[in-house]
Amino acid sequence: MRTNRTVTAAALAALPLFAAACAAGPDTQSQEHAATGTAEADGRGSARVGDLIVEDAWMPEPANPEVGVVYLAVTNTATEDDTVTGVRTSASDDADLCETGTTGSGASVMRTVSRIPVPAGGTTTFVDGGYHVMVNDITEPLTVGDGVTVGLTFASGAEVEVDAPVQEMTAARSDHGDPGARDGHH
């Protein structure tokens, strides 16, 4: 009988904490980390702030210990377009928003961009051969199992911080199952 009273008392003591957590909801929290869908299955990072959802965040293990790349997807559930305007990482003070494209002659070229659009009700993916985050001058070598915190700044004023695990380069595929070749910037 004593054990049942202890369990009941502990459950009753925890009830106000549970109710407060439920009442807070995602709109009152500065940032809600949520592992969803493939991001959870692949051990990739995800976070949500307001109408912006960042998921499938990861970094292939850098082949060059000083340079790496981060891939992710940004979904904008708002009714107005937004734009990624800045990036920072815990791995280096030198990170850039980049885009890989093709020249008229068919050559692949990477360039730094100051803005990456995220349409209202849409998703912009950061993938090999497209938009991505370049991490330059990495201070400490990164290996599989490490993590990098990535902060994205948006034109709307929102800031989203997500943890991107370092995974094997062979883990190359986006949330939509697209294969990705691991050549180029590593």
Side-chain angles (χ1 to χ4, degrees):
M1 209 49 153
R2 186 172 200 95
T3 303
N4 288 340
R5 286 185 192 159
T6 304
V7 171
T8 302
L12 289 174
L15 190 57
L17 295 173
F18 177 73
C22 290
D27 293 333
T28 59
Q29 295 175 350
S30 64
Q31 191 165 108
E32 172 188 318
H33 287 274
T36 59
T38 302
E40 181 179 287
D42 292 343
R44 297 187 179 167
S46 63
R48 179 182 187 139
V49 172
D51 294 322
L52 297 167
I53 303 166
V54 177
E55 50 192 346
D56 204 27
W58 70 293
M59 172 185 263
E61 182 178 26
N64 175 342
E66 296 176 6
V67 180
V69 63
V70 174
Y71 301 122
L72 50 88
V74 181
T75 300
N76 178 5
T77 63
T79 57
E80 294 187 22
D81 295 345
D82 209 339
T83 305
V84 180
T85 58
V87 63
R88 67 184 187 293
T89 73
S90 61
S92 172
D93 291 333
D94 184 4
D96 297 306
L97 298 172
C98 294
E99 178 180 27
T100 302
T102 306
T103 66
S105 65
S108 182
V109 62
M110 184 183 71
R111 65 185 176 100
T112 302
V113 296
S114 60
R115 305 170 71 76
I116 297 177
V118 185
T123 299
T124 299
T125 55
F126 290 49
V127 296
D128 190 36
Y131 293 122
H132 56 277
V133 174
M134 283 301 302
V135 184
N136 308 297
D137 300 323
I138 296 174
T139 55
E140 298 288 324
L142 296 168
T143 59
V144 172
D146 290 338
V148 175
T149 301
V150 179
L152 299 175
T153 305
F154 292 82
S156 64
E159 293 187 13
V160 180
E161 195 168 270
V162 63
D163 294 322
V166 176
Q167 296 181 333
E168 290 184 23
M169 292 170 66
T170 57
R173 73 165 200 66
S174 74
D175 191 35
H176 307 288
D178 299 328
R182 297 277 61 103
D183 57 288
H185 355 278
H186 305 290

